[in-house]
Amino acid sequence: MSVLELYAGPAAYRQIQDEGLHADLFDYMLGASGGPKWFVLAGLDRVIFPQLFAGRDRPIHAIGSSAGAFRFACFAQNDSLAAINRLAERYSHTVYSAKPDAREISLKGWELLDYVLGESGISEILANPIVKAHFIVARCRGWLARESKPLQMSGLLASAGANLLRRRWLSGFYQRYSFGTPGSELHIQDPMGMASYQVPLSDVNLKAALMASGSIPLILEGVQDIPGAPPGMYRDGGIIDYHFDLSFGPMPGLVLYPHFNRRAVPGWFDKSLAYRRPAHSSYDKVLMVVPSAEFIASLPFGKIPDRKDFEQMPAEQRIPYWQKVLSESDRLGEAFSQLLCKRDIASQIRPIGFTR
C-alpha cells in the first residue's frame, strides 16, 4: 500500500524533474488550518523539521495559519523535534468539561502554548536565522470584533454571504496580518487582490499572535490589541487563509506543502463551495505531500482526526484514537525519507488538479 502521494504545480514538477527532490529546492513551507487534522502529518513534521533542512545556510519561510502556525512555532525552535512532540502530546490529551465555553477552551489554548514554547521558545523563534516563522491572523471588523456570540454569528453570516459572491469582499470584514520573524523579507501576493499587512514578531507579541491565529470565532475568545499591530480584535487566520490561495516572494524557490488533503480550500467559508478553487499562480511552484486515501482508510474509523471528535467521542475513546493516528503518521515520515533517495521521483508526482 502506498501511504504517501505527491502533487506538484507545473513549475515545481519541471524543476524536480530536472534536479530530483532535495531540500535546496525549497524557500517556503506552508502549514494549513485544520486543528486536530494535523495529527496525520505529525510523522512528516518529525522528519522534515529536524532533518530535511539540517545544515541549511539560507532562510526558509514557514507560513502557517491556526494549526499550521502552531506547527511552525515548533519548527523555529532550536530542538524542533522535541517541540513538535510537546505539541502533539499536550494537544492530543486535551480534555474539556462537558459543555466548555469560549473562556475554558481559550485558557486551555494559552496553557498549550506555555507548554510548547517553554522558557526559551519565544527567544529561539525570534533569533532563528534560518527558519523564518510567519503566523497568519485575521483582524476583524464590525460585529466580528465583539465577543457577543449573537453579534459574532451575525458577522460570520454576513461575511459568508459576501464570500459566496466574491472572495475579495472578505476584506470588508477581515484584514490579513502576517506576524513574522524580525527582518523577514517575505512578500505575499493574493490573486484576488486582498491586502496583506506585515507585523514583526517580538517577545511581547509572539504568544498573542500565535494564539490569535488559532482563535476560532464562537469557539474561542479573540485576542484584543496585539502589541505592535493596530488596535482591534484578532482571530483565526484560517478564516481568510484556510488552505491558502497565495504566492510568495522575493526568494525564487519552491513551496513545500505537507497537507492532509489533496484539495486546497482557499478560505474557511469555501469548504462547501466546490467551485471555489485556488488560482494556478498560487500553486505553480508548490509540491504537496499528502497521505494517500488508502492510508487514511487504514486508520481507526477510516478518517483523520477533526475538531468534531471533541463532541462526538468521550475522552476515553478519542485520546487512544488520536494517539494511534500520531503513531501511524510516522509511516508517512519514513515514506518521505525514502522518496528523497529516489532518482526517478518525478515519475511518482501527479499534477495538481484543483486550481482554476
Side-chain angles (χ1 to χ4, degrees), residues 140-195:
C140 298
R141 295 175 164 180
W143 289 335
L144 290 155
R146 306 286 294 276
E147 286 296 355
S148 162
K149 284 196 172 184
L151 291 179
Q152 280 191 64
M153 180 59 75
S154 297
L156 288 169
L157 290 173
S159 56
N163 178 78
L164 184 66
L165 299 173
R166 295 284 189 278
R167 174 166 155 78
R168 66 175 177 269
W169 288 356
L170 282 177
S171 60
F173 301 86
Y174 313 95
Q175 294 175 316
R176 176 190 295 116
Y177 273 78
S178 172
F179 289 81
T181 304
S184 170
E185 298 180 351
L186 178 71
H187 297 164
I188 298 175
Q189 294 91 39
D190 186 324
M192 294 292 101
M194 291 181 64

Side-chain angles (χ1 to χ4, degrees), residues 188-244:
I188 298 175
Q189 294 91 39
D190 186 324
M192 294 292 101
M194 291 181 64
S196 302
Y197 301 93
Q198 312 278 347
V199 177
L201 287 168
S202 70
D203 56 358
V204 298
N205 72 12
L206 188 147
K207 192 178 295 184
L210 188 52
M211 183 65 188
S213 187
S215 293
I216 306 168
L218 301 177
I219 306 298
L220 285 86
E221 297 173 338
V223 178
Q224 184 77 40
D225 299 340
I226 299 178
M233 181 65 76
Y234 293 81
R235 301 189 190 276
D236 196 316
I239 299 171
I240 305 173
D241 298 305
Y242 191 58
H243 298 163
F244 301 103

Side-chain angles (χ1 to χ4, degrees), residues 213-287:
S213 187
S215 293
I216 306 168
L218 301 177
I219 306 298
L220 285 86
E221 297 173 338
V223 178
Q224 184 77 40
D225 299 340
I226 299 178
M233 181 65 76
Y234 293 81
R235 301 189 190 276
D236 196 316
I239 299 171
I240 305 173
D241 298 305
Y242 191 58
H243 298 163
F244 301 103
D245 184 8
L246 303 171
S247 54
F248 307 99
M251 299 166 72
L254 303 184
V255 181
L256 179 61
Y257 192 4
H259 193 31
F260 44 80
N261 194 321
R262 61 167 294 185
R263 179 190 175 215
V265 178
W268 192 32
F269 297 114
D270 299 322
K271 290 187 288 184
S272 61
L273 306 179
Y275 62 85
R276 184 64 56 78
R277 300 177 179 180
H280 284 286
S281 59
S282 297
Y283 281 80
D284 185 41
K285 300 172 72 173
V286 170
L287 175 69

